[in-house]
Amino acid sequence: AMKNGDTDRAFLLLLPLQSNQSFNKVAAASLHASLSDAYDKQGDALNVLDQLIRREIYLTEPQTIASNQKNIWRLLSELSVETLINVRGETTDSISQGWVDLAIAAKNQESASAISAWQSSYIDHPAIEFAKSMALQQTSAPLTLTSNANIA
């Protein structure tokens, strides 16, 4: 259904499968990846985030986990601070909140110190290594700020 662009049909087929407890890890990870794709086609960032986080629970390979985290980061880094704050208000689990808080910290003018503060607040978060690599990148490379605003 997704290949044909029929997201409604994809949801009808996939959403009921979330309650299936008999899936192995590969099948469950695939289900959540497919649902994240369907939500992405609808522009529903909150549910894409939720599905990617659910997917990570079933991943076992470090490279696949890193790839999934890059997808989470790509999603969040494209959102404005205002949208991130709204998403933060709508999330109920600490993993989602942690990812959103990390994205907000990275958009902070003092991002290095904000990311460091995030690391102190979320020491057990699945993205802790991701955040450490961000902090290392920021201390080793000059920060380049870009703006979409036109200067008159």
Side-chain angles (χ1 to χ4, degrees):
M2 283 296 294
K3 289 179 183 173
N4 298 331
D6 189 353
T7 54
D8 291 337
R9 178 124 174 88
F11 284 125
L12 283 172
L13 296 170
L14 296 173
L15 286 173
L17 297 176
Q18 289 188 103
S19 62
N20 188 332
Q21 300 297 316
S22 66
F23 283 151
N24 65 29
K25 288 185 176 200
V26 173
S30 178
L31 168 65
H32 292 297
S34 295
L35 281 167
S36 73
D37 289 345
Y39 283 120
D40 188 43
K41 289 199 179 358
Q42 289 189 326
D44 186 343
L46 182 61
N47 277 312
V48 173
L49 175 63
D50 179 57
Q51 293 301 320
L52 289 173
I53 288 170
R54 288 178 185 219
R55 177 178 187 245
E56 189 165 323
I57 294 166
Y58 300 103
L59 300 176
T60 56
E61 297 294 322
Q63 286 179 311
T64 311
I65 292 168
S67 176
N68 193 68
Q69 290 183 348
K70 285 178 185 173
N71 288 336
I72 292 171
W73 188 248
R74 192 175 308 116
L75 167 75
L76 294 175
S77 64
E78 292 173 356
L79 301 177
S80 68
V81 172
E82 181 180 329
T83 301
L84 286 167
I85 291 169
N86 290 336
V87 167
R88 175 65 164 86
E90 294 177 34
T91 60
T92 56
D93 70 281
S94 62
I95 295 175
S96 297
Q97 291 170 346
W99 272 108
V100 173
D101 286 348
L102 180 58
I104 292 169
K107 290 180 183 279
N108 188 313
Q109 272 191 309
E110 299 292 328
S111 61
S113 63
I115 291 170
S116 178
W118 181 94
Q119 289 173 297
S120 299
S121 299
Y122 288 97
I123 55 173
D124 293 329
H125 194 275
I128 193 73
E129 294 302 320
F130 187 88
K132 286 178 184 175
S133 71
M134 289 175 61
L136 286 173
Q137 288 173 0
Q138 291 193 343
T139 56
S140 65
L143 182 62
T144 304
L145 297 177
T146 59
S147 173
N148 293 338
N150 292 330
I151 300 174

